[in-house]
């Protein structure tokens, strides 16, 4: 087995382990906090709009930081023609996917980025394929 195959196998094993733990944590959190979208460990002093970006200007460029196993901001509203760039600001590998296959990044190591430009009015739910509890939404308004 070559080094690349061994690294991939090790990464898959890690993903399965992390996904299992994340599922268990998410299931516990959703059963105790089903009436709120605020994570149980969120600070009450966090401003309510800290996880939301709204720039309906078509020329807008939004930067989404991947940090603390979260997309920040995780809810984005933009106009057609806007670009969204995800930047991995932590040492853990992440990626960005949509369930419908609209876009999919390569794995992003620390400092790596991935950019998409959105053109049509739509709501896009996205997530990290490695840590599927990490989720966000892009709303493109006309």
């Amino acid at each position: 087995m070559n080094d690349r195959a061994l690294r991939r196998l090790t990464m898959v094993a890690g993903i399965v382990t992390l996904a299992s733990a994340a599922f268990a944590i998410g299931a516990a959190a959703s059963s105790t906090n089903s009436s709120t979208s605020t994570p149980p460990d969120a600070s009450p002093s966090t401003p309510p709009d800290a996880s939301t970006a709204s720039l309906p200007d078509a020329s807008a460029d939004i930067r989404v930081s991947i940090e603390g196993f979260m997309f920040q901001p995780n809810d984005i509203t933009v106009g057609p023609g806007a670009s969204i760039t995800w930047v991995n600001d932590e040492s853990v590998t992440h990626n960005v996917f949509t369930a419908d296959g609209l876009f999919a990044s390569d794995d992003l190591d620390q400092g790596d980025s991935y950019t998409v430009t959105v053109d049509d009015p739509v709501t896009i739910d996205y997530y990290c394929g490695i840590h599927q509890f990490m989720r966000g939404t892009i709303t493109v308004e006309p």
Side-chain angles (χ1 to χ4, degrees), residues 7 12 19 21-22 24 39-40 47 53 69 72 88 97 100 113 139 141:
R7 281 195 328 262
V12 168
F69 289 90
Q72 298 179 31
N88 186 355
F97 280 89
D100 60 7
S113 64
T139 303
E141 295 181 341

Side-chain angles (χ1 to χ4, degrees), residues 2-15 107:
N2 65 31
D3 286 345
R4 183 177 177 154
L6 183 59
R7 281 195 328 262
R8 269 230 189 280
L9 183 59
T10 302
M11 184 171 50
V12 168
I15 291 168
D107 287 350

Side-chain angles (χ1 to χ4, degrees), residues 1-118:
M1 182 177 293
N2 65 31
D3 286 345
R4 183 177 177 154
L6 183 59
R7 281 195 328 262
R8 269 230 189 280
L9 183 59
T10 302
M11 184 171 50
V12 168
I15 291 168
V16 169
T17 301
L18 286 172
S20 298
F23 178 80
I25 291 167
S30 68
S31 66
T32 59
N33 284 327
S34 61
S35 64
T36 179
S37 62
T38 303
D41 60 344
S43 166
S45 63
T46 302
D49 62 350
S51 64
T52 302
S54 181
L55 294 172
D57 178 8
S59 64
D61 184 20
I62 301 284
R63 182 189 192 276
V64 177
S65 175
I66 304 173
E67 186 174 17
F69 289 90
M70 297 174 59
F71 296 111
Q72 298 179 31
N74 65 340
D75 295 318
I76 303 163
T77 301
V78 295
S83 293
I84 297 105
T85 300
W86 289 266
V87 180
N88 186 355
D89 289 324
E90 64 184 347
S91 61
V92 178
T93 301
H94 296 286
N95 53 41
V96 183
F97 280 89
T98 61
D100 60 7
L102 188 60
F103 56 80
S105 75
D106 291 332
D107 287 350
L108 304 172
D109 293 323
Q110 187 171 25
D112 290 347
S113 64
Y114 175 69
T115 301
V116 297
T117 300
V118 291

